[in-house]
Structure formats: structure tokens, C-alpha cells
Amino acid sequence: MRVLAQPAFKDRNDNPYTWLLYSHMASLGVDVDEFSPRRLLQNNYLIWHRHWPERNLNDTNVLRAIAKTQALLLLMKRVRLQRVKIVWSVHNLTAHERLYPHLEAWFWKAFIRQLDGYISLSKSSMAAAQQRFPELRNLPGFVIPHGHYRAEYPADISPQTARALLGIPPAAKVLLFFGKIRPYKNAPELIKAFRQFPDPNTRLYVVGSPEFPTLAEAIEKEAALDRRVQIYLDFIPKDKAQIYFHAADMVILPYSEILNSGSALLALSFNRPILVPLRGSLAELQSQVGEEWVRTYAGEITSLQIEAALKWALNTPRPAQAPLGAFDWKELAHRTIDAYHAIATRKENRL
């Protein structure tokens, strides 16, 4: 089996999700290559596996966004003539920034029509995908979860060492927001809610690289109003992530919308309880991992929710490690290979 993945291995430092998936697939004997148009057109691949195709629509240059989108769709049409099977992993149902609604509507309609199969990361995200794109019901679809990040991120320092490195007193309580910062992740709103939480011994760390300068300015403005809020608005290398996670008592991900969350799996990989909205696949994640590890809330984040969740995080008994057996990469790689075989052997029934 020959597979061309986009992306495959090149994004390991930014997001190791695809590197972990395809490294485990390669260990099982699958030939996986990094995508390039030339490779796709000149080689005999069975599968072209596409992740995050909507990224082209996040380009702030409209002409470049149109050109990239058209190039992708033309390439998809071309390789179907070569009998290459096109598989989409459904990470998102919209472009994060929603810069070009008309272009995006046109893109998704054309994109879905070129697919041979798709993979959702949860049952709830499959249902949402089928509701958004009813044509997917005519294609083979598979639920294969997002894997954990254990062993990919160093985790060899103690909480005491982590707190010492950040200058946090041993008795302080620490909340953490971590990851790439986009508008829908609600970092400024989290700081606003935290400012209404009066405990002087609790600190909030907002850590990650904002997508836009205006978003960074909004975070800095809110953080300046409360000395308990610490911000580090930059990309965090993998060997430094453990400092923030090991120092934290709880991770908060107050997203206004979400389908799947790699950040939630990252926090659980560091064995940190998480507070997340009752949106997307997060209720499903709670049922898989347990209510002692995942706490959900409805509506918008508030100081009362933060207070109650912090008490839950500090006082709820839980084992030393979050139970992430359902997110083992070797098993997920096996299931992905099985999905490829099912898609490849399915009788042609193009939309």
C-alpha cells in the first residue's frame, strides 16, 4: 500500500498529530510519503490522505486563497482519473477565520464531491459532518479518534521544579490556557472571567502564539488589569511545554466553538484535569476518559464556573495517569489502514 499524506511528517514540531499517525503506519509496513503535486502525479499511490484542506481559506490574501483553492480542486479532479482514492480527515467543518464565506461555500461543495471516503475523530464529529455535508452519507466513513501525545512531549520534571522555573509559590493554585491562540478560543474572555474570581492565591497562565496582532493586543490589555494573570504570547517548543503543564492544577479551554481538540488530548497526556465547554466532541471525550479528568460547562465561561472547576480539580480523587488507552497510536494506525482498504476496494460510486 502506497499512501501520500498532506501533511505527513513535516509538521512534527508544530503539531505532531500526523507525524505520530504515519510513523506508526510506516512501522506496520505502509509506504507513506510527504505530499507534493509532482509526487502525486508521477507515482502510483493508492491513497491521497488530506488533512486541513480549509487552511488555504485562512490566507489573508484573497487572490492567493483563490489560487490555492482552485489548484487543490483541479489536482483532486486530475488524480481521480489515475484511480487514486482521496480520503479526508475531518478536523474542522469550517475555516477558522471565515474570511471568505462565498469562496468557502463553493470550495466545500466541490471538495466533498471529489472524496472517496472520510475519517472523523469522534462519533459526534461524524454526525456534525454529515449534517453539514449530507453528501458524506453516500461515502464510507470511519470514526478513528485523535491519539494522545505521551512520549512525544518530554515529561521528566516534577511540578515543584516546574513551579520554581516559573517563580510560582508552592501554595499557589495555577490555571493554564495553552496552545495556538485563535479568536474562537476565547482567551480574552477567559481573562475577563478570571478577573471576577477574587482568590489572590490563584494565577492564570495564558501561553501560546496569537494568530493576529489585534488578538495579542486584546490579551495584553486584559492581562494588564490583573497582576495574577501571566502571559507568554509565543510558540512554545515541545521541550518547554512540560514546564507549564506540570505547574498547572487545571487546564481551561474556553472555546466558543469546537469540533475536536488536540489541546485537550495534550493536557490529558500530561495528566492534567481539564475544563471544557459542552461542545463538539468534548462530551464524548469526557465519557471516554472519565468525569474525574474532564469537566464540562454550558454557555460561556464565568468566574463561578472557574471557581467550581478549580475546587473539582483540587479535591476530586483521580489516578496518577489519565486513562488514554483508547487513544493509542498503534491501534489507531491499524484502524486507519483498515479504512484505507475498505475505501480502496469499494465499488466506484462517484457523486
Side-chain angles (χ1 to χ4, degrees), residues 105-335:
W106 170 77
F107 163 72
W108 284 118
K109 184 176 180 179
F111 176 80
I112 298 297
R113 290 181 64 86
Q114 299 302 319
L115 295 176
D116 294 286
Y118 65 102
I119 294 170
S120 294
L121 304 185
S122 66
K123 293 178 181 178
S124 56
S125 64
M126 173 175 275
Q130 290 179 347
Q131 182 176 13
R132 174 83 194 278
F133 306 116
E135 300 94 332
L136 291 177
R137 297 189 180 101
N138 300 320
L139 297 175
F142 306 85
V143 175
I144 303 175
H146 190 306
H148 64 68
Y149 289 112
R150 283 180 181 156
E152 179 61 17
Y153 282 73
D156 53 8
I157 65 172
S158 67
Q160 294 77 16
T161 299
R163 289 186 170 219
L165 289 170
L166 294 174
I168 301 172
K173 291 162 280 188
V174 180
L175 307 174
L176 174 65
F177 173 104
F178 186 98
K180 182 80 171 177
I181 305 177
R182 294 181 179 273
Y184 75 91
K185 294 187 176 182
N186 272 348
E189 288 73 15
L190 172 61
I191 299 173
K192 288 179 185 178
F194 176 76
R195 282 171 34 215
Q196 305 305 312
F197 177 45
D199 185 355
N201 293 318
T202 300
R203 298 187 180 188
L204 171 64
Y205 276 75
V206 176
V207 181
S209 175
E211 187 70 11
F212 304 105
T214 53
L215 182 54
E217 291 169 6
I219 293 170
E220 290 168 348
K221 180 180 177 181
E222 292 296 333
L225 299 174
D226 194 324
R227 295 177 59 185
R228 300 172 302 159
V229 179
Q230 304 294 319
I231 60 175
Y232 187 82
L233 303 183
D234 203 351
F235 175 76
I236 306 299
K238 284 194 293 185
D239 62 331
K240 302 297 184 184
Q242 64 169 323
I243 297 174
Y244 295 96
F245 281 104
H246 284 168
D249 294 298
M250 182 177 71
V251 174
I252 306 180
L253 305 174
Y255 303 164
S256 61
E257 56 184 65
I258 190 68
L259 187 66
N260 308 286
S261 177
S263 295
L265 265 298
L266 179 60
L268 292 168
S269 297
F270 279 106
N271 305 307
R272 288 299 175 263
I274 61 175
L275 175 64
V276 293
L278 194 59
R279 294 187 170 104
S281 63
L282 295 173
E284 192 172 331
L285 179 64
Q286 183 186 54
S287 69
Q288 292 169 306
V289 180
E291 293 185 359
E292 69 272 28
W293 289 101
V294 180
R295 183 182 176 95
T296 61
Y297 65 90
E300 301 303 318
I301 191 72
T302 67
S303 62
L304 292 177
Q305 290 161 344
I306 293 172
E307 181 179 11
L310 182 56
K311 290 178 180 177
W312 161 82
L314 294 172
N315 300 318
T316 300
R318 59 180 62 87
Q321 283 199 330
L324 301 181
F327 309 98
D328 176 74
W329 281 107
K330 187 173 183 179
E331 173 60 24
L332 303 181
H334 271 296
R335 290 168 62 178

Side-chain angles (χ1 to χ4, degrees), residues 15-21 51-52 89 91 121 145-147 149 329:
N15 180 356
Y17 168 85
T18 55
W19 185 91
L20 287 162
L21 174 62
H51 302 263
W52 301 290
S89 273
H91 297 278
L121 304 185
H146 190 306
Y149 289 112
W329 281 107

Side-chain angles (χ1 to χ4, degrees), residues 19-51:
W19 185 91
L20 287 162
L21 174 62
Y22 296 118
S23 294
H24 283 82
M25 288 176 59
S27 72
L28 297 172
V30 177
D31 185 0
V32 182
D33 289 333
E34 188 74 53
F35 169 84
S36 76
R38 177 176 293 181
R39 280 180 181 156
L40 181 58
L41 293 171
Q42 294 183 354
N43 293 276
N44 184 27
Y45 290 100
L46 178 66
I47 299 290
W48 177 16
H49 194 167
R50 191 65 169 90
H51 302 263

Side-chain angles (χ1 to χ4, degrees), residues 72-89:
L72 169 59
L73 295 173
L74 288 172
L75 190 58
M76 292 174 76
K77 291 180 179 179
R78 171 66 178 83
V79 300
R80 292 200 70 173
L81 299 176
Q82 301 172 209
R83 303 296 178 183
V84 176
K85 302 295 184 179
I86 303 174
V87 180
W88 174 39
S89 273

